[in-house]
Amino acid sequence: MAEHNLSHLDVPDIQKFNEAQHQVHSLLQWVARVENSYGPDAGRKEPIRLRWCDERRAITTHGLIDGLELELRVAEMTLQFLEHGKPSNHAFSAEEHSPAHAEAWLLIELLHRGVDRSRFTKKLPYDASQLLSGDGQEFSPEQYSDELVLLAEWMSRAARALQSADKGSDGNGDRKVLVRPEDLSMELLCSGHVVGFAPVGSVLDEPYFYVRGRDSQERPREDVIAASHIFGSAGAGQLDTFVRGH
């Protein structure tokens, strides 16, 4: 896949791009619910954290039971179970389906695998009321195909930048990049701080990188640097310098 320059100037319709992110964020909540119900930290009141799989451009659960995982491939907006790392049959394509359809598909797939459905909970430890839910709206990835490809590429390059910053901060550079389902940001622990990438520009008018203390769960409203500065031709090494300054 050809790489985009990934400046905010490459998104001619920022409203449409934000709508695409909103749809991905909404569909991701079903992955978060599975993690919250069956993941290693289920029942421990720990924040829900998902994993970024760069090879598949997907956000995945941690290992569930019997080698089972659930992934959301960002560019296609497709949910699919993995069995011992291999995609299973019966993927869920979100096109012209509602969140209620996603829930029905998920419950049927759990039933077919003999997973205890009594453990499944839709409750989340954060407010998701602004995201798509129920049967009143349908997902439309085909309408946002260009924006979704760009978002997946953005997240992929951000993950690589985070790994590079981890190496530059005397880390081993092979820790997993985690995804916060409450705000779609990506994070990695570097030098006692958490360095992250926010694809939704709530602080700036474009996606950005940020640094926060490892014990703080809130994204900061300062200590940020625009993603276009990192991804641009003059941005090599800026994230490493940014992290080392904290």
Side-chain angles (χ1 to χ4, degrees):
M1 180 183 297
E3 291 190 345
H4 298 265
N5 182 44
L6 300 182
S7 163
H8 66 291
L9 297 176
D10 291 316
V11 186
D13 188 338
I14 190 64
Q15 181 178 354
K16 190 175 180 182
F17 187 66
N18 287 340
E19 288 170 356
Q21 293 183 86
H22 185 69
Q23 292 214 358
V24 170
H25 194 191
S26 299
L27 189 58
L28 181 64
Q29 301 314 304
W30 296 106
V31 183
R33 290 180 172 110
V34 168
E35 178 73 28
N36 195 37
S37 301
Y38 303 103
D41 290 327
R44 298 184 188 179
K45 297 184 178 180
E46 296 291 330
I48 302 173
R49 294 295 177 262
L50 304 170
R51 297 183 300 157
W52 174 256
C53 175
D54 201 53
E55 180 181 1
R56 297 175 62 78
R57 304 286 174 92
I59 304 169
T60 76
T61 64
H62 292 81
L64 305 173
I65 57 174
D66 299 328
L68 198 65
E69 301 169 56
L70 177 65
E71 72 171 12
L72 165 60
R73 293 196 296 279
V74 173
E76 300 92 342
M77 280 188 63
T78 296
L79 294 172
Q80 191 164 20
F81 277 98
L82 303 178
E83 297 171 337
H84 302 287
K86 296 182 178 181
S88 65
N89 295 326
H90 310 299
F92 176 82
S93 175
E95 178 65 29
E96 295 187 347
H97 287 100
S98 68
H101 293 150
E103 179 182 5
W105 170 84
L106 180 60
L107 293 177
I108 290 171
E109 290 297 305
L110 293 174
L111 178 64
H112 286 171
R113 289 170 172 79
V115 177
D116 182 3
R117 281 185 35 186
S118 68
R119 292 175 53 189
F120 180 74
T121 177
K122 291 171 63 175
K123 293 182 179 179
L124 294 166
Y126 50 84
D127 181 16
S129 61
Q130 299 304 308
L131 300 176
L132 303 182
S133 62
D135 207 21
Q137 294 178 284
E138 294 182 344
F139 297 110
S140 49
E142 291 183 5
Q143 180 180 349
Y144 302 105
S145 58
D146 291 343
E147 290 77 16
L148 291 170
V149 169
L150 180 60
L151 176 59
E153 177 66 18
W154 225 330
M155 295 180 77
S156 177
R157 293 189 65 183
R160 296 198 296 271
L162 293 173
Q163 293 280 13
S164 178
D166 184 30
K167 291 179 182 179
S169 63
D170 299 325
N172 55 23
D174 60 2
R175 284 188 284 261
K176 296 293 184 182
V177 173
L178 300 181
V179 178
R180 293 164 49 110
E182 61 264 46
D183 56 21
L184 202 60
S185 60
M186 309 170 77
E187 293 188 337
L188 191 67
L189 179 64
C190 296
S191 296
H193 291 82
V194 174
V195 58
F197 171 75
V200 181
S202 60
V203 175
L204 303 179
D205 61 355
E206 66 168 288
Y208 58 89
F209 288 87
Y210 61 89
V211 173
R212 65 171 174 82
R214 64 180 301 173
D215 296 325
S216 171
Q217 294 302 316
E218 297 297 323
R219 287 196 330 213
R221 298 196 65 82
E222 53 186 3
D223 293 334
V224 303
I225 185 170
S228 58
H229 293 172
I230 301 299
F231 294 142
S233 59
Q238 283 201 30
L239 184 59
D240 179 48
T241 302
F242 181 58
V243 173
R244 285 176 178 269
H246 292 79

